[in-house]
Amino acid sequence: MIDLAEVAYGYGNTTLLSELTLRLAPGSFHFLTGPSGSGKTTLLKLCYADLTASAGKVSLFGQDTATMTRDQIARARQRMGVVHQDCEFLDHLPLYENVALPLTVAGRSGDDEAGNLEELMGWVGLAARREALPPELSGGERQRAALARAVITDPEVVLADEPTGNVDWEMSLRLLQLLVELNRMGKTILVATHDLALIRAAKTHVSARVLRIAKGRLQLAGSDL
Ligand code: ADP
């Protein structure tokens, strides 16, 4: 689905990540962990071609991004759901319309989609907030909405950057369960998180690989989690 081979990246003249190889096989579940500032968000951005690697090769769905046109990259991105840390919403639209926006953009609407939207809003605990405007939401509510918006189109790959950073433990487990269910349906999942308790909780439900960024390199985390 997504392949990074010997990838390097740095902002300005610095080298943040180097010799980084990562293969997100179809149906796999990965956690990405590492200290704040180690490059988790940067790595996710490389995975959805928001940043261009300074060395190495990034392939999306079998195609080298270096040879892809803008349109091809846009189409590849439509097959992914991305949960950004600083999720942006259209402030003048009610929450449910924000969550449904990727469907609208893809020209998909109808009874099936409406049913899925209601179900998803309920799952992330936002059914009662459907008419709220984004500025009225708490940080945790925004995060839950961001996850719902990322998965509403039923993407093949979900890349989530700290999707549970602002929510309580019970809701974290609920959001995790949503990701686990999506994985059981065959979706490929990558979750960046510093929450080791969440990773431990996930391990009883899903066979996930845990990767850690340390000193610019990616390592398989040990079983000491
Ligand atoms: P993490 O997600 O692990 O906290 P990030 O990928 O956000 O790490 O950031 C890694 C490092 O790169 C940090 O030191 C951060 O300050 C730096 N960085 C991130 N984005 C930029 C940017 N746009 N310009 C310059 N430096 C950046």
Side-chain angles (χ1 to χ4, degrees), residues 103-191:
L103 290 176
T104 316
V105 170
R108 285 163 54 183
S109 55
D111 291 347
D112 277 0
E113 308 283 12
N116 288 342
L117 177 62
E118 294 308 321
E119 197 183 338
L120 194 53
M121 293 287 280
W123 187 267
V124 299
L126 290 173
R129 303 289 279 146
R130 67 194 306 284
E131 299 293 339
L133 294 175
E136 300 165 6
L137 300 177
S138 72
E141 286 173 331
R142 291 176 75 85
Q143 248 181 342
R144 283 139 59 188
L147 179 58
R149 188 178 59 182
V151 303
I152 189 70
T153 55
D154 200 23
E156 292 161 65
V157 181
V158 178
L159 305 173
D161 197 356
E162 298 280 2
T164 62
N166 279 316
V167 300
D168 62 35
W169 178 241
E170 218 169 294
M171 184 48 78
S172 294
L173 290 180
R174 207 170 156 79
L175 298 186
L176 174 68
Q177 205 182 328
L178 176 62
L179 293 166
V180 168
E181 291 295 332
L182 289 170
N183 181 246
R184 287 201 180 123
M185 289 161 61
K187 316 293 179 193
T188 307
I189 315 277
L190 173 63
V191 181

Side-chain angles (χ1 to χ4, degrees), residues 8-225:
Y9 190 81
Y11 296 98
N13 293 324
T14 61
T15 301
L16 176 64
L17 302 171
S18 57
E19 292 174 36
L20 199 146
T21 294
L22 170 66
R23 181 177 160 74
L24 299 183
S28 60
F29 198 125
H30 286 86
F31 283 105
L32 176 64
T33 182
S36 175
S38 58
K40 299 183 291 298
T41 299
T42 304
L43 176 53
L44 255 60
K45 286 182 174 170
L46 289 164
C47 286
Y48 62 89
D50 191 35
L51 294 174
T52 306
S54 52
K57 187 166 123 178
V58 176
S59 306
L60 303 182
F61 305 103
Q63 215 179 342
D64 182 350
T65 50
T67 67
M68 289 167 82
T69 62
R70 239 182 232 223
D71 270 3
Q72 285 173 322
I73 288 188
R75 275 199 296 277
R77 281 204 192 130
Q78 281 181 354
R79 298 168 67 180
M80 306 181 192
V82 182
V83 185
H84 300 275
Q85 232 176 10
D86 49 350
C87 36
E88 282 177 13
F89 296 101
L90 297 177
D91 286 351
H92 62 285
L93 288 183
L95 188 57
Y96 76 95
E97 282 191 41
N98 267 285
V99 171
L101 210 55
L103 290 176
T104 316
V105 170
R108 285 163 54 183
S109 55
D111 291 347
D112 277 0
E113 308 283 12
N116 288 342
L117 177 62
E118 294 308 321
E119 197 183 338
L120 194 53
M121 293 287 280
W123 187 267
V124 299
L126 290 173
R129 303 289 279 146
R130 67 194 306 284
E131 299 293 339
L133 294 175
E136 300 165 6
L137 300 177
S138 72
E141 286 173 331
R142 291 176 75 85
Q143 248 181 342
R144 283 139 59 188
L147 179 58
R149 188 178 59 182
V151 303
I152 189 70
T153 55
D154 200 23
E156 292 161 65
V157 181
V158 178
L159 305 173
D161 197 356
E162 298 280 2
T164 62
N166 279 316
V167 300
D168 62 35
W169 178 241
E170 218 169 294
M171 184 48 78
S172 294
L173 290 180
R174 207 170 156 79
L175 298 186
L176 174 68
Q177 205 182 328
L178 176 62
L179 293 166
V180 168
E181 291 295 332
L182 289 170
N183 181 246
R184 287 201 180 123
M185 289 161 61
K187 316 293 179 193
T188 307
I189 315 277
L190 173 63
V191 181
T193 182
H194 63 264
D195 189 348
L196 298 186
L198 189 77
I199 298 176
R200 276 187 222 113
K203 281 188 154 186
T204 57
H205 300 290
V206 69
S207 123
R209 298 183 89 196
V210 184
L211 306 168
R212 181 184 288 139
I213 304 184
K215 301 194 180 100
R217 305 288 175 93
L218 198 59
Q219 310 160 339
L220 203 55
S223 53
D224 51 326
L225 283 165

